[in-house]
Amino acid sequence: MRTSQRTRLRTTAAATLLAAVALSGCGRDDGTAADTEAKEVSAGKASGEITVWALGAEGEQLGEIAADFEADNPDATVKVTVIPFDAAHDKIATAIAAGETPDVSLVGTTWLSEFAATGALDPTPTDLIDSSKFFEGSWGTTDVDGTSYGAPWYTETRLVYYRKDLAEKAGVTPTAGWSQDDLKAFAKGMQDNGGAKWGISLQPGGAGSWQTYLPFAWQNGAELVDGEEFAFNTAPMREALDYYASFFSEGISPTDLAEGGLESGFINGDIGAFVSGPWHMGILADQGGEGFADKWALAPMPQEETGTSFTGGGDLVVFKDSENRDTAWKFVDFLTQVPQQQKLYELVGSLPAVESAWDSGELASDPLLKAFGDQLQDAKSAPAIATWEEVAAPLDDAIEQVSLGASDAEEALANAEGKANSIGFGN
Amino acid sequence: MTTTTRPEPLAVVAATEPPRPRRRGRATVGEATAQPWIYVVLTGGLVLLVGPFLWMLLGSFRPDRELKQVPPSWLPQDPTLDNYRTLFTELDFPTFFFNSAVVAIAITLGNLVFCSMLGYALAKLSFPGKRVIFALVLGTLMVPGLVTLVPLFVLVSNLGMVNSLPGLIFPFLAGPFGVFLMRQFIQSLPDELIQAARIDGAGEWRIFLSIILPLCKPALATLGILTFLTSWNNFLWPLVVAQSEEKYTLPVALAIYSRGENSSNYGLLMAGSVAIIIPVLAVFLILQRHFVQGIAMTGIK
Amino acid sequence: MASLTANPTPGTRRRPNRWRRREVLVGYLFALPFLALFVVFTVGPVLASFLMSFTDLRTSDVRSPLAVEVVGLTNYADAFSDETFRKAAFNTAYFVVAGVPLTMGLALAVAVGLNSGITRFKTFFRVGYYLPVVTSIVAVAVVWRFLLEPDSGIVNTLLGYVGVDGPSWLNSTTLAMPSLIVMSAWRNMGYLVVIFLAGLQIVPTEMHEAASIDGAGAWKRFRHITLPMMRPTLLFGGVVTMIGYLQFFEEPFVMTQGGPLDTTLSTAYYTYNQFGFGNYSYAAAMAYVLFVVIAIVTAVQFRLLGERD
């Protein structure tokens, strides 16, 4: 029909005009998105209701600690909602988009700068929360360009888990202040003489492998950021990557471990060592069975210029749109007090981000925990940059390529640096 | 994790050819009896297919530790009801089940009603704009789902439907897939039926209810099964919309309780997955006779 | 059934005007409930996301979505010059080209098998073959990873019996994708089996009998009788599977996370990653590129396999 053609033209024209009008309304002005001025919090007891989002199975336990807060502040109510870990990032992002944020939320340390860039986070009131009581690496995760958003809640860092019995059999032992070469020799020793199939298991690329690799680069003195640009293709980074990849090329570390293969391999003696955080203590206790606890121990990160490890954990943030900002911040402050930090450890096993919480109780006496506490004194986090997650992906790719022998360190890192810089810092 | 919220399209037929006359012969099966080797091959294939389901079922009765062994073993070494106990006592199972059920049933019923109405209109009535509507429906069907998540959530928030069951239901009440299915099916119904009824003086609504719909039973059953399946298993949208645990659906609750930051509770996950699957299987079993017939109709057109 | 005397020629549109007007009114009334909801909840967001793809919207902009720069086709141009996107596109094409015929072939074979006089356990078989479609992807992933285990998996154990040293399937840059293709065929076969089973009902036994009397063997009968009669059903199955496979995401997500070295990264997965990074407008552009491909492929399939009469 002739008319349908004309109608179609008219409809298309109208639609294009509408789209043009809609888009013409767009335009970014130069106002800064993130607020940098911290406002004060009133004194006295907290009141009113706040909603708090906690993550994953551990989040279930927050209710208990919240009850203590309510006991202390009879006029206040805390409503805890647990959200799944896997999709938490998307949920928080969409909540910000629609203005449906809670008062307080737990966020992963690598997400904080990204959310801060949206302007949705409230800067930390410096009169309430004292930054010096936290581990430096932990506080660093909340610091974006000089302004802090939120407070660290719990932390973690990475150590070398190793089979004591296999090491003994091989006649090798880790020593405080050992070098990267010492670590490699140690692993090789367990393989050659200790009966292990693999000396140590490292992550050969893939999501998150940067967390295992970067400590070695940091130990060499690498700085990831140079002014306004990323600096991946530097000598310390290359040396660290060559060192990392050599574990695979020399057959000390497997490249194709199955899921769950790490734990079972370590337990049955195929794997002599691996690098991980405090959560594996619980996993090994669960799966290792009777008497396994005597067979393994922890060793610190090797020392070159420094003995730096990676630190992550969780931060608490308060949202700008919160209707009860005072109580929200008081609750956050409550959670960073020593008794609550220790209680968190008891309930969930997460390590306190507050240094003095380590001065008493199990955290001070248990040698394994003490090892983590000591390492926390020298631990770095990912740069607090909004685009870090995206930038880390090319870095993971570089690690994968070199570990699997598909590229050499210089080429891979140069590539990754190029991609990282085209992504930029996200402001 | 499927983040799309629509069932996969069954028929993407945009053709407007007149329906083929259907053969009125009895639909028969090939030979009288099957050779035994066919049974053997099919059963072999079946074992392969049912494997994961069996593993899931068996796994739900095993402690988490056992499930994480590498290599995994098939038979429970230490059978336990703990996973189910946790599932039904520690989780607020009735609430989550209720939410999932209400949402899935509402979406299914809504689609059955609205899609059949529009499907009928597109198939048998003529009015200006029909082609545009159909193209629009077709088009949105082919858009990958994730990309509309943020705009949809902003919309729902502005409508004040966040953290409510309506917020979980409304966005999916008008599914393009259903319109497709019904249109295809109804198109193959003879026009004479409708015209004759009109001549007899029947109102349009009556024609629709007493003539068209009864003939659509197979397609409606098909649409019912598929819509129910997708709504029941939907994870991302219920997660984003819910702000408090009373509004969680089963898939969301299961994801929380079985996954910690650095570990997973496989035992609980298996038990939960079995519990989640049962209503879906029940719906499938009840409706599957119509189902086969239904797809036949739309397939042949 | 009423008589057809009033309208001697069925199908002609020579109805009185008042019926015509009524028809239009009724048409709109029937369409209204659906359209009201559809426009608000589906068309609206789709349009918004489409417009979004012409801007540079990122996470940092979500609170002020109108304060973004319009960048026209930049996102689309970036996608095509993005090495990873091209790789993902190639992987997706590979998956579809290999996966669709494989899935269809298997399903057809099973459907024919189920159709050849299985009288007992018909429902049992049907449900069984459909089970993978509804089983949790987590359970599916665990079992398949076990099957493909380089050392203790069943596949390599069986290969070992014939003296072949099985490779590490999921960690090989060349074998990971074929493994996923086989797994997807296995998983989605059941859906097609049901469709094809129904389609096979159309083929009448008389034709088979006549042909076999004339001396045609089973394979010849299949090729010249069954297949042509099943054309609409085959088109159906092909289109459905193709659309689903063009958007494949779950399998690489749970099995290989796109690796090794991005050899199993699909377009949908890459879009998901970009969405996770907060590059909303870029993700939207890639999604619409995928949309265009889906639309084109569907149209082509119709041209090729659609009804001629």
Side-chain angles (χ1 to χ4, degrees), chain B residues 236-261:
Chain B
L236 193 58
W237 180 251
L239 169 67
V240 167
V241 167
Q243 307 284 75
S244 63
E245 288 171 49
E246 308 99 49
K247 295 288 180 275
Y248 281 163
T249 56
L250 273 178
V252 175
L254 191 59
I256 294 178
Y257 286 84
S258 61
R259 272 276 301 159
E261 185 173 353

Side-chain angles (χ1 to χ4, degrees), chain C:
Chain C
M1 242 196 266
S3 70
L4 306 175
T5 47
N7 257 338
T9 325
T12 50
R13 295 238 184 263
R14 293 183 66 240
R15 279 169 252 161
N17 259 354
R18 90 184 139 86
W19 269 349
R20 199 67 181 292
R21 264 182 285 130
R22 186 173 94 156
E23 193 178 337
V24 171
L25 186 62
V26 169
Y28 284 134
L29 282 177
F30 269 65
L32 198 59
F34 181 90
L35 285 182
L37 289 165
F38 180 66
V39 167
V40 171
F41 290 104
T42 307
V43 178
V46 165
L47 209 58
S49 61
F50 184 59
L51 290 179
M52 199 161 78
S53 71
F54 296 108
T55 68
D56 62 351
L57 188 85
R58 298 200 66 250
T59 333
S60 36
D61 301 315
V62 285
R63 287 175 106 220
S64 50
L66 292 179
V68 293
E69 292 297 320
V70 176
V71 293
L73 292 174
T74 311
N75 287 324
Y76 291 91
D78 282 345
F80 284 113
S81 56
D82 183 347
E83 204 185 308
T84 317
F85 179 72
R86 286 205 301 266
K87 189 146 215 265
F90 170 76
N91 293 339
T92 309
Y94 178 4
F95 186 81
V96 167
V97 165
V100 173
L102 179 65
T103 315
M104 286 181 71
L106 281 176
L108 195 55
V110 170
V112 168
L114 283 181
N115 198 38
S116 44
I118 307 282
T119 41
R120 290 175 254 219
F121 311 122
K122 219 197 312 205
T123 311
F124 176 68
F125 275 113
R126 261 191 231 154
V127 174
Y129 275 91
Y130 194 68
L131 222 43
V133 178
V134 297
T135 309
S136 138
I137 185 71
V138 177
V140 168
V142 172
V143 173
W144 269 89
R145 259 185 256 136
F146 167 52
L147 284 179
L148 296 174
E149 256 288 300
D151 297 321
S152 45
I154 291 182
V155 171
N156 281 0
T157 317
L158 288 178
L159 284 177
Y161 290 154
V162 285
V164 175
D165 190 18
S168 176
W169 298 96
L170 293 176
N171 278 294
S172 151
T173 50
T174 45
L175 292 173
M177 192 56 132
S179 310
L180 287 189
I181 292 176
V182 170
M183 179 178 141
S184 299
W186 167 93
R187 185 147 192 248
N188 296 304
M189 179 185 7
Y191 201 58
L192 279 182
V193 164
V194 178
I195 295 180
F196 288 157
L197 202 55
L200 279 172
Q201 309 307 319
I202 306 303
V203 185
T205 6
E206 300 87 46
M207 282 186 88
H208 275 283
E209 281 164 10
S212 59
I213 287 169
D214 279 351
W219 177 246
K220 254 205 166 146
R221 273 185 283 131
F222 180 70
R223 268 194 64 202
H224 295 286
I225 301 177
T226 316
L227 278 187
M229 300 224 72
M230 278 193 67
R231 211 205 219 148
T233 322
L234 289 173
L235 170 62
F236 224 49
V239 169
V240 169
T241 317
M242 174 111 31
I243 291 188
Y245 279 16
L246 277 167
Q247 297 181 53
F248 89 104
F249 168 80
E250 265 187 350
E251 289 86 356
F253 186 72
V254 295
M255 297 289 282
T256 56
Q257 290 82 53
L261 293 174
D262 284 345
T263 47
T264 57
L265 185 71
S266 70
T267 328
Y269 194 174
Y270 189 51
T271 310
Y272 171 79
N273 282 343
Q274 289 300 322
F275 185 80
F277 293 146
N279 294 331
Y280 295 134
S281 54
Y282 190 46
M286 288 196 290
Y288 282 106
V289 169
L290 187 57
F291 162 74
V292 167
V293 172
I294 292 177
I296 292 177
V297 163
T298 308
V300 165
Q301 269 199 308
F302 270 99
R303 280 288 141 87
L304 288 183
L305 292 176
E307 291 181 357
R308 308 294 166 101
D309 33 331

